Amino acid sequence: MSYFTEDGSEAAVLSRLADDVEPRFREMMQAAVKHLHGFIKEVEPTVEEWGQAIQFLTATGQMCDDKRQEWVLASDTLGVSMLVDAINHRRPDGATENTVLGPFHVAKAPVRENGDTICLDGKGAPCAVTGRVTDENGNPIAGAKIDVWQTNDDGFYDVQQPGVQPDMNMRGLFTSDADGRYDFITVKPLPYSIPTDGPVGRMLDAMGRHAMRPAHIHYIVDAPGYEQLVTHIFVKGDPYLESDAVFGVKESLIVEFEPDGDGWKADFDVTLKKLS
Ligand code: BEZ
Ligand code: FE
């Protein structure tokens, strides 16, 4: 047994970890204590500064409910969500890359036919999005489920504006045809701000960072026997591609949106990785 000292702080805490603790939890607690104590020793906070840190953590938790997840937003804006995603979705070259899910996915999007629109509020110029779902050898994957969602032409998700936008506006679940093809009508997405009315917004402000995300359309693609793909397509030329507030942009996900008659068109092929 040893009493707590500044130098021996980490050992003092870890000596209380029981021998029969579940091994993975043990590994995580050991690392958490090591890095937390390392952080404190590096920055040597004053008592007031540590109080402010506790206040930030408290406010972040208090902002969370079934509609708002400030902790996920904190994880996203500190690059942690993208790091966890990268570690868990290492893919071979050629397979479509993952990116962050974000908080605005809604289960049970309306099932739609290829060629249908997802825009229920009539705002914005139409944009046709087409593509093919294939395996890593270019073989079509028929029957893949393609769940898409985005903000409307005012830059908000339907769930951010209940009673203003129609329910399930800008959402749809499509199915690839026998040749792996899918297509839907939407509007060209716009850049938008993540929520800034909570502690994460204040943190970004204090860090001298903006809260903008470059324009994107979210995708979840599922097919039996293949790894689920959670991704976005980003609009080429968007001013926020290199400073996305949540670090979600990958080069391979940037797509050209071209003028097409009175609207726009974009094409994005999806390559799924086989489950091993
Ligand atoms: C989104 O793209 O919907 C999103 C992602 C992370 C944080 C906030 C919003
Ligand atoms: Fe989004």
Side-chain angles (χ1 to χ4, degrees), residues 73 76 100-104 149 157 192 194-195 213 216 218 232 246:
L73 213 52
D76 293 342
V100 68
L101 173 67
F104 297 118
W149 70 102
Y157 288 94
Y192 67 85
I194 62 169
R213 294 220 62 205
H216 58 272
H218 292 263
H232 315 349
V246 304

Side-chain angles (χ1 to χ4, degrees), residues 22-199:
E22 195 275 317
R24 179 67 172 153
F25 178 66
R26 183 184 178 83
E27 182 187 354
M28 287 193 169
M29 287 311 296
Q30 280 172 332
V33 170
K34 174 177 155 189
H35 290 286
L36 266 171
H37 284 236
F39 166 75
I40 295 296
K41 285 176 180 176
E42 183 177 328
V43 301
E44 298 194 343
T46 63
V47 171
E48 288 73 25
E49 285 169 338
W50 189 239
Q52 284 171 9
I54 298 285
Q55 182 47 41
F56 171 80
L57 300 174
T58 305
T60 301
Q62 285 171 339
M63 196 84 193
C64 294
D65 58 26
D66 57 344
K67 294 207 172 57
R68 175 75 177 261
Q69 235 305 345
E70 196 74 358
W71 273 114
V72 173
L73 213 52
S75 161
D76 293 342
T77 50
L78 291 171
V80 177
S81 302
M82 281 301 287
L83 183 56
V84 172
D85 190 67
I87 288 167
N88 284 280
H89 300 101
R90 296 183 183 121
R91 300 220 168 101
D93 283 352
T96 305
E97 295 188 279
N98 245 56
T99 190
V100 68
L101 173 67
F104 297 118
H105 178 251
V106 170
K108 297 197 173 71
V111 173
R112 303 204 188 280
E113 299 293 320
N114 278 316
D116 281 356
T117 187
I118 60 170
C119 177
L120 306 182
D121 63 7
K123 293 184 176 177
C127 176
V129 181
T130 54
R132 267 184 98 211
V133 184
T134 67
D135 68 13
E136 289 162 81
N137 298 316
N139 300 310
I141 300 176
K145 299 293 177 200
I146 303 136
D147 190 352
V148 294
W149 70 102
Q150 67 168 83
T151 50
N152 75 346
D153 207 49
D154 295 328
F156 294 100
Y157 288 94
D158 57 350
V159 289
Q160 292 177 292
Q161 295 190 307
V164 176
Q165 290 188 41
D167 269 3
M168 296 289 179
N169 192 28
M170 314 306 295
R171 300 176 187 275
L173 183 67
F174 294 84
T175 305
S176 59
D177 69 13
D179 198 28
R181 293 188 188 282
Y182 72 90
D183 66 289
F184 61 93
I185 307 293
T186 182
V187 296
K188 188 181 173 201
L190 297 168
Y192 67 85
S193 171
I194 62 169
T196 55
D197 56 340

